[in-house]
Amino acid sequence: EFVNKEKEKSEIDVKNGQAIYDDRFGAVNNRRNRADMFLPFDEKIVENALCEAVNNLLPFLQSLDGMMESGSLHELSCIISDPGSPTQCVHCDTPFLPNVAPLYTFFIALQDVDDDMGHTTYLPKTHTKAAHDIFNAGIKQKEELIAITPPVASSLKKGDVAVFDSRVLHCGGANTSNGRRRVLFYFTFTAGDV
């Protein structure tokens, strides 16, 4: 409910010139009926949701190299996919860069994500330099990499979390449902400077 109201408010503020689009929404692959909406950390409901998620994920976070010494929150947002949103192109959220700590993204479903709402599909083990070199070499090489990498769809239920290195190639599926919005609360942590 909060996300729906916040999205409506943000869209109105942008339309009326009270806010800049890039201050409320992030870049998202294929924006038609899809949005990456920044969440206001100063809202108690957002703070509580993040704290609960991090507390539940703490053992995992502690296992990531450098996270306990220098880990920091990099992004706090929601991916919103409304009916009619098409399948995204396969992409990574961050490129592979040498000597740069990875970003770890946590997608938490705020409702059951049924097949017709568009699952996120991941191409495992594509967070590497070798995979990115192939992906960026040209269309033929990109298509071959996508074709030979077995995809994994995240069939999330309400409260489930999918964790991935933001360099992993992935795409959001089409929302072909009859009026159901897919919302993924997400945050990204890094153990280094960004």
Side-chain angles (χ1 to χ4, degrees):
E1 195 64 30
F2 171 80
V3 170
N4 293 334
K5 289 179 182 175
E6 189 67 21
K7 183 173 187 282
E8 183 179 340
K9 178 184 179 305
S10 293
E11 289 172 336
I12 290 169
D13 287 350
V14 168
K15 183 179 178 183
N16 293 337
Q18 296 172 311
I20 298 169
Y21 183 88
D22 291 341
D23 290 342
R24 300 289 178 93
F25 298 96
V28 66
N29 182 303
N30 206 332
R31 284 187 180 173
R32 193 176 74 211
N33 296 334
R34 180 178 279 115
D36 179 355
M37 184 181 72
F38 302 134
L39 292 174
F41 188 73
D42 58 350
E43 288 285 344
K44 198 65 175 166
I45 191 169
V46 175
E47 180 185 351
N48 289 345
L50 179 63
C51 288
E52 181 176 339
V54 169
N55 284 336
N56 286 317
L57 293 164
L58 197 55
F60 176 74
L61 285 167
Q62 290 171 330
S63 74
L64 299 173
D65 285 342
M67 196 62 71
M68 295 313 295
E69 297 79 25
S70 62
S72 62
L73 180 66
H74 177 71
E75 189 171 18
L76 181 61
S77 238
C78 270
I79 292 286
I80 302 165
S81 176
D82 285 323
S85 64
T87 299
Q88 293 179 308
C89 298
V90 173
H91 66 283
C92 60
D93 291 341
T94 55
F96 183 91
L97 298 171
N99 304 315
V100 174
L103 298 169
Y104 296 100
T105 299
F106 299 75
F107 280 173
I108 300 176
L110 297 186
Q111 72 293 303
D112 288 351
V113 181
D114 296 326
D115 292 344
D116 63 354
M117 295 170 78
H119 300 295
T120 303
T121 299
Y122 303 92
L123 300 180
K125 301 181 182 176
T126 57
H127 64 291
T128 65
K129 180 180 182 331
H132 279 243
D133 286 348
I134 295 167
F135 189 74
N136 294 315
I139 292 177
K140 183 179 178 189
Q141 293 88 338
K142 179 186 291 192
E143 289 174 351
E144 286 175 1
L145 177 66
I146 292 169
I148 65 168
T149 306
V152 175
S154 63
S155 303
L156 300 178
K157 299 298 180 193
K158 185 176 182 176
D160 286 350
V161 61
V163 182
F164 65 101
D165 182 319
S166 67
R167 300 171 296 186
V168 165
L169 299 174
H170 63 283
C171 64
N175 186 337
T176 60
S177 71
N178 187 17
R180 290 176 296 145
R181 171 176 278 179
R182 180 191 75 163
V183 180
L184 300 176
F185 169 64
Y186 84 90
F187 49 92
T188 303
F189 275 100
T190 182
D193 296 327
V194 179

